[in-house]
Amino acid sequence: MQYNKRNQNKTQNLLEKGKRLPLTIKRLGINGEGIGYFKHKVIFVEGALPSEVVVVEVVEDNGKYATAKIHKIRTESPYRIEKKDDYDVGGIELEHLNYEEQLKFKRDVVLQALEKFKPQGYQKFKLLPTIGMKYPFEYRNKAQFQVRKTSDGKVIAGLYKRGTHDLVDLPTFSTQRPLTMKIIREICKYLEELEVPVYDEKNNSGIIKTIVVRESFATKEVQVVFITNSEKLPKKHLLLEKIETNLSEVTSVLQNVNKGKSSLVWGDKTQLLSGAEYITEKLGSVEFRLSARAFFQLNPYQTLKMYEEVKKALDLSKTETLIDAYCGVGTIGLFVAGNTNEVRGMDITPEAIEDAKLNAKLNKKSNFLYTVGKAEDLIPEWQKNEFVFDALVVDPPRTGLDEKLIKTILKAKPQKFVYVSCNPSTLARDLKELTQIYYVDYIQSIDMFPQTARCEAVVKLSRRSQKS
């Protein structure tokens, strides 16, 4: 016992902050960090790749594991490449890894999650190769950048340095659409020229907090939203005039008010300043009108591929009915349903449901019903009123399915069921319960966010009673 304690204390001393030690990286963790082992303790090393031999510097020892940063790479991975961006911000954590290896990693992330939660029959699940992009850059159709003013009066916009509230100015960003970046930079220039008060987080003063720019891939229309600390927007008319004169792509300018210090980016009140309330996006032959706060996937190229996978997995006939849970602005239901008998969708965000209704009308779909509420509440209510549904598609947030909804699904037992996941961990957790009555036919991983550790997946499930 005393020997073990002495060894433990010795290991702890070696892992004090600032200590350097050699490490061989065995694999990548779910957040894209390299994983090595020192005296049987897991060490997470940001930026390290499998098979690399590195000298690391300990950042923190958390007891069960430690974090470290690279001091020196002794043996470099053959898959390490030069990064396009040199910023310490999120969203590019795998940019140093060859893209083919990124795709393999994202399939492996799904496997890691399954091995952790062990849903029934997981060893036999068919994990298909990740669907990637030909050019895995310049795909993000939306930039949501914080705005600040430097001590010398320069207006900057970008993202926070990881783990801090220090803003990193981003004059370029390789995953962002060039048009969104151009407009962000131009607007910063206008704010500086007009001396519009920019938000000071420390003193909770100033006006402009955040600029949100969204581009339509289909129409090239651009929507700009100023998120402000006040309903007042000094120099508003001059600012709008500059935008109208110099940025012809901008067809919609809005202001969202979010007063005071808040961890939330958006406030409740949004008002139109200039142009249209919406911009129009298109996936295949389906059109969508997007209001300022409407959720729409950030990578339309891959969204089209993902929705095609959902459509193939559901394989709906004209006589079948579909429930589109977490429907947002109606994107999945409108894309996959075609001439299906009836589609019902729900979302807890009233603005999203209003957009979904508008999108159904825009696409001449009279057999679509959209309702504000939770799937776990509405599905039993609809069933009491003798509504029978054949198919279900769920596209939950990163937190996964609500426990009550899982029980509702297990009770309703829809014949066809597709789960669209943006978080392999919560997917695997939910499958542990869903596999009580469902087989997993396959899991198709899709790379919606190249250069990041994030992974999306389409899961086709079949009711066990259908299997022989």
Side-chain angles (χ1 to χ4, degrees), residues 180-198:
T180 63
M181 293 301 293
K182 168 198 161 185
I183 288 171
I184 288 267
R185 302 319 299 179
E186 284 296 303
I187 288 175
C188 282
K189 189 172 76 176
Y190 305 155
L191 294 175
E192 193 174 312
E193 289 172 357
L194 295 171
E195 297 184 338
V196 178
V198 171

Side-chain angles (χ1 to χ4, degrees), residues 15 21-29 33-46 48-52 54 56 64-68:
L15 291 178
L21 51 112
L23 209 62
T24 300
I25 304 302
K26 300 296 185 181
R27 61 187 175 92
L28 289 179
E33 67 282 77
I35 293 179
Y37 297 88
F38 181 75
K39 306 286 187 184
H40 305 293
K41 178 176 279 195
V42 175
I43 313 288
F44 293 103
V45 186
E46 189 180 302
L49 296 175
S51 80
E52 290 189 329
V54 295
V56 302
K64 292 184 178 179
Y65 66 92
T67 58

Side-chain angles (χ1 to χ4, degrees), residues 89-101:
V89 296
I92 47 172
E93 53 269 21
L94 287 183
E95 206 178 7
H96 58 298
L97 178 62
N98 169 285
Y99 188 56
E100 287 304 312
E101 293 301 308

Side-chain angles (χ1 to χ4, degrees), residues 283 286-288 303 307 310-311 314 316 320-346 356 359-360 363 365 367-370 391-395 420:
L283 290 175
V286 185
E287 288 188 1
F288 302 95
T303 301
Y307 288 0
V310 175
K311 189 173 187 176
L314 284 170
L316 295 167
E320 290 177 318
T321 54
L322 171 72
I323 285 182
D324 178 8
Y326 307 93
C327 71
V329 299
T331 46
I332 290 181
L334 285 163
F335 187 88
V336 306
N339 296 319
T340 300
N341 181 35
E342 185 178 358
V343 175
R344 293 192 180 189
M346 70 284 285
N359 288 327
N363 290 279
K365 301 290 185 183
N367 57 335
F368 280 60
L369 174 72
Y370 290 110
L392 172 68
V393 59
V394 297
D395 184 11
V420 182

